[in-house]
Amino acid sequence: MKIHFNNVIWFVTAVSAVLACGALQAKSPPENVTVTVFDQVHVLPMDSDQLLRNQRVLVQGARIVAIGPAAELVVPQGATVIDGAGRYLLPGMAEMHGHVPPMVDFSGMPARYLDDVLMLYLAGGVTTVRGMLGHDQQLRLKDDIASGKRLGPTLYLAGPSFNQNTVTSAEQARERVRQHKQQGWDLLKIHPGLSLEHYQAIAGEAKQQGIDFAGHVPDAVGIEQAILLGSRTIDHLDGYMEALGGFDKELTAADMAPLVALSKKHNVAVVPTQALWQTIIGASDAAQLQGYDELKYMPARVIAGWQRYVQQPGGAYYSGDTAVVHAQNRQRLLRALYEADVTILMGTDAPQLYSVPGLSLRRELPLMAAAGISNYDILRSGTVLVGEYFADKDQFGQVAAGQRADLLLVDGNPLEDLSVLYQPAGVMVRGQWLSRATLDSKLAEIAAARRAEKQ
């Protein structure tokens, strides 16, 4: 059987349909192709709300090639076997609003910062990142990761921002869309400041070119037009609160219903980034933020900038004395969107204010749960739904034959307790296995580098 992904033919050779001695017989893999077997593991395939107990999962190269009961699926000769007894295997998580540093030195940041960010994503169980602001040479970084030259999550990248400074006319906007498509960016990043005319030009040309646009909602456009014109995602729930007057008064279900219905009707997805936004609007507890253990992995100058914001908050999104009401309304809206079956995609906007790449999931997931989202649907938001979003790029987000081998091995059942995701027993990214010991070693190295920078 042949499976075609990104113009590469993957030969699934691990399992034949022949029964031998009551077991599924696995063929020998081609030479120089790594085969890994997760043995006696409980699998969350994520194609439905089910748990498959005592399974074997075979990975060949960068693909899952077979799943079956451990008593029936034979381990291929020479395979690396990972003991999964009592553990749970599920797809790797996605960060649908993340950022990746430039490949060139910038703002005096440590030379190793880029690789550290990529590793932090993986250590947090994030195996796919939708990068939401492109930089020079970042497409090369994406290729280097895909080819194995550099270790990191699979990247899907927005290009440089479309905003009032980079867009000067409708025709120039259309030409810029064409350029981004030709250059190979995966989507267009929208920032505030665009006029409705320029936004319409971007949306129209994006449709012609077959490229998504997503991000913020400019004030002159508004949430309704952004949805109607085809924004693929509304990030940070941007524009909803302004349209609803949700900054300083409690919103009701009736208030939110029309926009929720419009979102569902036009199949827009939302990337809430609730934890970060609580900090931005001024609703977070500063002492609690400063106590986050994961801050030890970030450069001192980054932490200093975050501290300055908390001490002297401001900017267009800061809500001042009404921040708590605003934050509660965001939670109410997220619940309403979920109950209306609007697609919700996992995202934290790391690295931003107190959101450390990968590790920021431990701050976001509890807020999603507090909005009434079930554990299963929270997991879906970072796995199978992201795979559906990128279905034209690859197949991933499920534990199933043919899927990209991005996997998390955890010590408990995340359907019962999401916190088991925060300290995975191991992470597999495109078939490469990173054990807990490896992850701990990498994290210790990053923390030591940060301490050394302070001296």
Side-chain angles (χ1 to χ4, degrees), residues 124-433:
V126 172
T127 54
T128 300
V129 174
R130 187 179 71 154
M132 287 302 286
L133 186 61
H135 300 286
D136 184 41
Q137 300 186 51
Q138 207 170 57
L139 289 172
R140 180 162 66 87
L141 172 64
K142 173 185 174 179
D143 291 341
D144 285 352
I145 291 173
S147 67
K149 292 181 181 178
R150 205 163 195 150
L151 180 61
T154 298
L155 300 181
Y156 299 105
L157 300 174
S161 168
F162 284 73
N163 59 62
Q164 74 271 28
N165 297 318
T166 62
V167 176
T168 58
S169 70
E171 181 49 43
Q172 182 261 355
R174 286 188 284 267
E175 174 58 26
R176 198 160 185 264
V177 172
R178 293 190 287 269
Q179 289 173 353
H180 280 219
K181 174 69 174 182
Q182 183 178 23
Q183 290 165 358
W185 299 104
D186 296 300
L187 70 155
L188 312 175
K189 170 60 182 286
I190 305 298
H191 261 128
L194 292 169
S195 69
L196 177 58
E197 178 191 6
H198 293 169
Y199 191 94
Q200 290 170 328
I202 294 166
E205 190 62 34
K207 185 175 181 180
Q208 288 291 321
Q209 297 297 322
I211 187 170
D212 290 332
F213 63 97
H216 291 269
V217 175
D219 289 345
V221 176
I223 184 66
E224 290 189 24
Q225 282 300 308
I227 293 171
L228 292 171
L229 289 169
S231 183
R232 183 74 185 275
T233 62
I234 305 296
D235 295 56
H236 321 300
L237 302 181
D238 214 46
Y240 284 98
M241 288 297 109
E242 182 173 356
L244 295 169
F247 298 125
D248 56 7
K249 67 175 183 179
E250 181 177 329
L251 295 177
T252 67
D255 294 331
M256 297 181 288
L259 279 181
V260 169
L262 187 71
S263 302
K264 177 61 179 176
K265 178 180 178 180
H266 290 274
N267 200 33
V268 69
V270 297
V271 186
T273 66
Q274 295 289 71
L276 171 71
W277 229 248
Q278 282 197 2
T279 303
I280 287 178
I281 67 178
S284 296
D285 181 278
Q288 185 179 47
L289 294 173
Q290 196 56 35
Y292 286 173
D293 180 66
E294 62 264 30
L295 298 184
K296 64 189 177 187
Y297 303 119
M298 299 302 291
R301 65 181 301 144
V302 172
I303 299 299
W306 294 353
Q307 290 172 336
R308 284 194 298 272
Y309 182 87
V310 171
Q311 291 163 2
Q312 296 179 318
Y317 298 108
Y318 180 62
S319 295
D321 294 338
T322 63
V324 172
V325 174
H326 182 181
Q328 291 171 344
N329 282 335
R330 287 177 58 85
Q331 286 289 91
R332 291 185 184 100
L333 175 61
L334 181 56
R335 179 186 290 269
L337 291 165
Y338 171 64
E339 291 176 348
D341 198 29
V342 173
T343 298
I344 297 166
L345 301 174
M346 187 178 290
T348 73
D349 203 359
Q352 296 280 6
L353 293 168
Y354 296 92
S355 289
V356 175
L359 309 181
S360 53
L361 290 186
R362 64 190 61 182
R363 312 302 170 190
E364 187 71 17
L365 270 56
L367 289 173
M368 296 177 76
I373 305 177
S374 71
N375 285 2
Y376 173 66
D377 285 326
I378 290 173
L379 295 174
R380 287 183 75 233
S381 77
T383 57
V384 64
L385 294 181
V386 178
E388 292 174 1
Y389 179 100
F390 286 119
D392 62 329
K393 310 288 186 185
D394 201 347
Q395 291 190 22
F396 66 98
Q398 300 178 48
V399 184
Q403 296 273 306
R404 193 167 71 215
D406 294 338
L407 299 164
L408 297 186
L409 185 66
V410 296
D411 290 326
N413 185 352
L415 294 174
E416 298 174 352
D417 181 4
L418 289 171
S419 70
V420 301
L421 301 178
Y422 306 159
Q423 191 82 356
V427 177
M428 177 170 277
V429 57
R430 297 181 306 280
Q432 181 170 350
W433 174 244

Side-chain angles (χ1 to χ4, degrees), residues 1-71:
M1 180 175 65
K2 296 180 180 179
I3 304 174
H4 300 267
F5 300 113
N6 297 336
N7 299 320
V8 176
I9 302 177
W10 295 84
F11 292 88
V12 180
T13 62
V15 179
S16 73
V18 180
L19 290 174
C21 300
L24 289 174
Q25 186 67 41
K27 293 182 179 179
S28 299
E31 292 185 12
N32 302 320
V33 175
T34 301
V35 175
T36 304
V37 177
F38 294 90
D39 193 25
Q40 299 288 341
V41 70
H42 307 318
V43 175
L44 281 73
M46 295 310 299
D47 59 347
S48 62
D49 189 357
Q50 64 173 323
L51 180 65
L52 307 177
R53 294 190 177 275
N54 301 318
Q55 301 288 297
R56 278 188 179 142
V57 177
L58 274 61
V59 174
Q60 179 177 302
R63 296 282 149 186
I64 301 169
V65 294
I67 300 172

